[in-house]
């Protein structure tokens, strides 16, 4: 399903949004994150896929590969850590922010506890950051989070709490536990009276956009390398973080932004239809575990309502197909390991190019230059192997051979 957003605007980045998230604040976050040992020292790769572009009859397809951002395997390594740093600074403003993630103030913070609900990657990022900072961490997991993802979080020393419900119920349980024990919620979704930390999480994601600007030589207030940018849905945090940065940089010449989410977790699609932050209409259970969210973040929606041009939903099978397309590679296209949530943008692009009316609706044609964000690698290796039909290590071996040619 596709819906054009009638509330999207082509204008300079609004001052009221800039007061919440800005390029200046994003660059500050990059600086504070840079000493963290869990992050790669350089920018993640921006790969070109000329064979796929030719097959889909577009001028260019580029993929930003976030699987190598961190040993944690996803872009979430940019959000929770900077949110934790900023929250500690609210309590102790005299501390050196760049020193927090290196553990210099661990003794002071040993009795401080943070908590969050997660589908996997956010909790893994928060657990790793808490261990580095020196504080305690509790992670609430819902019934559909795999044991493999639970173990990947627990290895960082977090205490795991399991509930029987879905993601949104795990968010409620995390808030209840925090209130009962005096713990601090560090979540990527906002709710009434809770916006500062989700904003910090979203601002951390803007590092991806900053690198794209640098990698493509984009000039401020001019059209950039890409006409269309596909972004994952979820609660809206990633889309808001990247779209806000690129909107501020390009101004009225910003690219067309398209947000993609699972059909059964269509909270952003429903928000576009209703003109307000809304809930999903489906079961929320999706193979795209990181996007299986039932409620739109109201804070993220403040950026998405004026900044996103179209919203679409995809079936789980489309995501699996997209995983296999990236894994296969070709003569000119590098094989890429992309997890089930990481391929939503490509799945959306494939769906659009199969439908001439949809392509026309978003201005997608043979001259279009498309940017995709592969937000995660094989963060659940067994799930990846089951869906793709080969282990991630085999794909990485073929990738290494492709690069060595």
């Amino acid at each position: 399903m596709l819906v054009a957003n009638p509330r999207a605007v082509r204008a300079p980045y609004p001052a009221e949004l800039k007061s919440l998230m800005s390029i200046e604040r994003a660059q500050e976050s990059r600086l504070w994150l840079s000493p963290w040992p869990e992050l790669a020292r350089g920018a993640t790769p921006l790969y070109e896929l000329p064979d796929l572009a030719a097959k889909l009859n577009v001028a260019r397809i580029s993929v930003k590969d976030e699987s190598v951002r961190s040993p944690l395997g996803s872009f979430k390594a940019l959000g929770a850590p900077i949110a934790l740093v900023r929250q500690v600074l609210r309590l102790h403003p005299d501390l050196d922010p760049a020193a927090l993630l290196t553990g210099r103030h661990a003794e002071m913070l040993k009795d401080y506890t943070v908590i969050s609900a997660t589908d996997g990657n956010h909790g893994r990022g928060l657990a790793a950051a808490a261990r580095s900072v020196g504080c305690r961490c509790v992670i609430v997991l819902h019934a559909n989070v795999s044991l493999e993802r639970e173990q990947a979080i627990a290895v960082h020393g977090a205490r795991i709490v399991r509930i029987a419900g879905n993601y949104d119920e795990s968010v409620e349980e995390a808030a209840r536990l925090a209130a009962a024990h005096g713990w601090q919620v560090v979540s990527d979704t906002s709710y009434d009276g809770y916006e500062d930390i989700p904003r910090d999480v979203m601002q951390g994601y803007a590092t991806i956009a900053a690198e794209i600007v640098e990698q493509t030589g984009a000039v401020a207030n001019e059209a950039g390398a890409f006409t269309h940018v596909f972004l994952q849905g979820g609660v809206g945090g990633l889309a808001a973080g990247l779209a806000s940065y690129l909107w501020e940089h390009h101004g009225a010449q910003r690219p067309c932004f398209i947000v993609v989410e699972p059909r059964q977790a269509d909270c952003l699609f429903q928000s576009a239809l209703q003109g307000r932050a809304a809930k999903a209409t489906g079961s929320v259970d999706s193979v795209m575990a990181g996007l299986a969210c039932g409620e739109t973040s109201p804070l993220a929606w403040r950026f998405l309502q004026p900044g996103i041009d179209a919203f679409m939903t995809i079936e789980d099978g489309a995501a699996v197909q997209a995983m296999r397309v990236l894994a296969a590679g070709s003569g000119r296209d590098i094989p890429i390991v992309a997890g089930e949530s990481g391929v939503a943008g490509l799945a959306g692009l494939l769906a659009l190019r199969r439908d001439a009316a949809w392509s026309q609706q978003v201005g997608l044609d043979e001259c279009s230059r498309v940017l995709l964000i592969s937000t995660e690698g094989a963060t659940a290796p067994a799930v990846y192997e089951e869906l793709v039909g080969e282990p991630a290590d085999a794909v990485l071996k073929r990738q290494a051979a492709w690069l060595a040619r």
Side-chain angles (χ1 to χ4, degrees):
M1 297 292 291
L2 174 74
V3 59
N5 178 17
R7 301 168 185 86
V9 298
R10 293 273 173 170
Y13 188 56
E16 61 269 26
L17 296 183
K18 188 175 181 178
S19 68
L20 295 171
M21 289 204 296
S22 66
I23 288 176
E24 179 181 6
R25 193 176 179 92
Q27 296 292 11
E28 183 181 60
S29 295
R30 289 180 75 186
L31 179 64
W32 292 354
L33 281 172
S34 60
W36 194 33
E38 293 284 350
L39 287 181
R41 298 277 67 85
T44 55
L46 185 64
Y47 293 126
E48 300 298 318
L49 303 181
D51 283 343
L52 184 58
K55 182 178 180 180
L56 297 182
N57 193 27
V58 295
R60 178 183 185 183
I61 296 177
S62 303
V63 179
K64 182 76 163 160
D65 183 8
E66 287 298 300
S67 69
V68 294
R69 173 67 64 187
S70 160
L72 304 178
S74 87
F75 78 103
K76 292 292 181 79
L78 296 169
I82 194 61
L84 177 56
V85 167
R86 291 190 180 277
Q87 175 56 26
V88 170
L89 290 174
R90 291 185 186 99
L91 301 175
H92 305 283
D94 295 332
L95 297 183
D96 176 6
L100 281 168
L101 287 168
T102 62
R104 194 181 304 172
H105 304 293
E107 180 63 26
M108 177 187 296
L109 298 169
K110 64 181 181 180
D111 295 324
Y112 187 58
T113 302
V114 293
I115 184 172
S116 183
T118 186
D119 283 306
N121 289 338
H122 174 78
R124 192 174 178 184
L126 180 61
R131 183 175 66 175
S132 294
V133 166
C135 66
R136 299 172 180 171
C137 182
V138 178
I139 298 295
V140 182
L141 301 179
H142 59 86
N144 295 321
V145 177
S146 69
L147 179 61
E148 194 173 26
R149 286 195 167 92
E150 175 182 335
Q151 292 169 341
I153 296 168
V155 75
H156 295 287
R159 172 189 163 195
I160 305 296
V161 175
R162 276 280 187 176
I163 68 160
N166 61 23
Y167 173 76
D168 298 298
E169 290 167 315
S170 69
V171 171
E172 293 172 2
E173 178 63 9
R176 187 192 70 79
L177 288 172
H181 297 284
W183 299 339
Q184 176 61 56
V185 175
V186 179
S187 174
D188 56 357
T189 188
S190 68
Y191 44 85
D192 187 31
Y194 181 79
E195 289 195 343
D196 287 349
I197 290 175
R199 178 199 61 203
D200 296 338
V201 171
M202 294 190 296
Q203 190 74 86
Y205 299 156
T207 290
I208 301 169
E211 291 178 358
I212 291 164
V213 165
E214 293 165 1
Q215 289 169 312
T216 59
V219 178
N221 297 312
E222 294 184 10
F226 305 105
T227 59
H228 294 74
V229 178
F230 285 75
L231 299 166
Q232 281 80 343
V235 300
L238 172 74
L242 270 64
S244 65
Y245 190 105
L246 294 174
W247 186 2
E248 182 179 350
H249 183 82
H250 293 291
Q253 302 300 311
R254 67 168 180 80
C256 172
F257 294 115
I258 301 167
V259 165
V260 187
E261 62 190 341
R263 176 192 54 78
Q264 62 270 48
D266 61 345
C267 59
L268 300 179
F269 187 91
Q270 292 300 323
S271 298
L273 293 177
Q274 299 175 36
R276 59 179 177 83
K279 296 183 178 182
T281 57
S283 66
V284 185
D285 183 18
S286 169
V287 70
M288 293 167 273
L291 307 182
C293 306
E295 295 189 37
T296 299
S297 168
L299 176 62
W301 187 246
R302 293 172 65 176
F303 295 86
L304 303 183
Q305 180 168 270
I308 302 301
D309 299 282
F311 294 84
M312 61 184 302
T313 61
I314 55 169
E315 302 290 338
D316 281 0
V320 176
Q321 178 195 7
M323 292 172 71
R324 293 173 178 172
V325 167
L326 288 181
S330 67
R332 295 190 296 166
D333 293 1
I334 184 171
I336 297 173
V337 173
E340 50 273 26
S341 297
V343 296
L346 175 57
L349 174 62
L350 293 170
L352 285 177
R353 294 313 278 155
R354 288 192 296 266
D355 191 305
W358 281 5
S359 287
Q360 184 177 19
Q361 194 170 356
V362 297
L364 196 64
D365 59 27
E366 67 277 4
C367 297
S368 298
R369 304 181 305 278
V370 177
L371 173 65
L372 307 173
I373 313 294
S374 179
T375 52
E376 64 175 7
T379 53
V383 173
Y384 182 90
E385 182 174 358
E386 178 184 355
L387 296 177
V388 176
E390 64 176 323
D393 286 346
V395 180
L396 292 175
K397 185 176 180 180
R398 289 191 287 103
Q399 183 186 85
W402 190 97
L403 288 168
R405 294 182 310 174

